Amino acid sequence: MSQHLSKLCIQAEKKLAQLGQKRQDSHLSVQLNQQQHQALSQMISAYRGTKEGTNVLLWKNACGMVQVLEPMQVKLAQKSEFLQQEQLRIDRLWQKQLGRQQGLRWFEKQTHLQNEARVARREQSVLDDMAGFYYKKKNV
């Protein structure tokens, strides 16, 4: 039984490591998306800051760029929502797996301690029987 329990513990640790990697990758994706969103927002603000009175062609190009960049910003916002939900989902899976792994480790340790106690009781019983045998033999 202890071999099976050890295998389960190893499997739980591997699964936890895999989920930990997914968790880290998800976190990085969310950060990258936020950086892209911020850069896009800054670009839109810069193009909107172009004054009408400067140059008509420059102003027209700036308006065209804003019209191109705004849908990209909307898509990034949608992607951000999806990535955050995915990150929460992976976090919950990781936490559940962490609980399983810790529970299995605790159970394995308890089983080991119980086995050691059982062996110690058997050894003590054998020693008690031997002591009783020699005591009887000595007194006879």
Side-chain angles (χ1 to χ4, degrees):
M1 178 170 154
S2 66
Q3 288 179 347
H4 296 295
L5 194 53
S6 293
K7 286 180 182 180
L8 283 175
C9 287
I10 291 169
Q11 288 174 349
E13 286 175 3
K14 285 180 182 178
K15 180 77 173 181
L16 185 64
Q18 290 171 347
L19 286 170
Q21 185 61 47
K22 282 184 180 182
R23 185 178 182 218
Q24 186 177 8
D25 293 345
S26 175
H27 181 71
L28 291 174
S29 294
V30 168
Q31 282 183 329
L32 178 63
N33 182 272
Q34 289 172 346
Q35 291 170 354
Q36 291 172 341
H37 193 271
Q38 185 179 9
L40 203 52
S41 294
Q42 289 173 348
M43 288 173 62
I44 290 171
S45 294
Y47 283 117
R48 282 191 178 146
T50 306
K51 305 265 187 235
E52 285 185 42
T54 55
N55 180 343
V56 175
L57 186 57
L58 183 61
W59 179 76
K60 186 176 179 184
N61 283 343
C63 288
M65 283 302 290
V66 168
Q67 288 176 348
V68 169
L69 294 175
E70 283 178 335
M72 292 171 72
Q73 189 178 34
V74 169
K75 284 184 181 182
L76 269 178
Q78 291 171 343
K79 185 177 178 182
S80 176
E81 182 68 29
F82 169 77
L83 288 173
Q84 288 173 358
Q85 288 175 358
E86 183 66 7
Q87 184 181 21
L88 288 173
R89 184 185 74 80
I90 291 171
D91 268 348
R92 285 191 297 268
L93 289 173
W94 182 83
Q95 288 172 353
K96 283 182 182 178
Q97 187 63 31
L98 177 63
R100 283 187 200 111
Q101 186 263 345
Q102 288 176 339
L104 282 169
R105 279 290 171 208
W106 177 86
F107 185 67
E108 181 183 41
K109 184 177 180 181
Q110 293 302 313
T111 303
H112 180 72
L113 291 173
Q114 288 173 357
N115 286 340
E116 284 181 346
R118 189 178 311 114
V119 167
R121 282 192 306 272
R122 282 185 195 151
E123 288 175 356
Q124 186 62 46
S125 177
V126 168
L127 290 174
D128 290 347
D129 289 348
M130 288 175 65
F133 174 76
Y134 287 118
Y135 179 74
K136 286 180 185 176
K137 191 173 186 181
K138 186 178 179 184
N139 288 336
V140 172

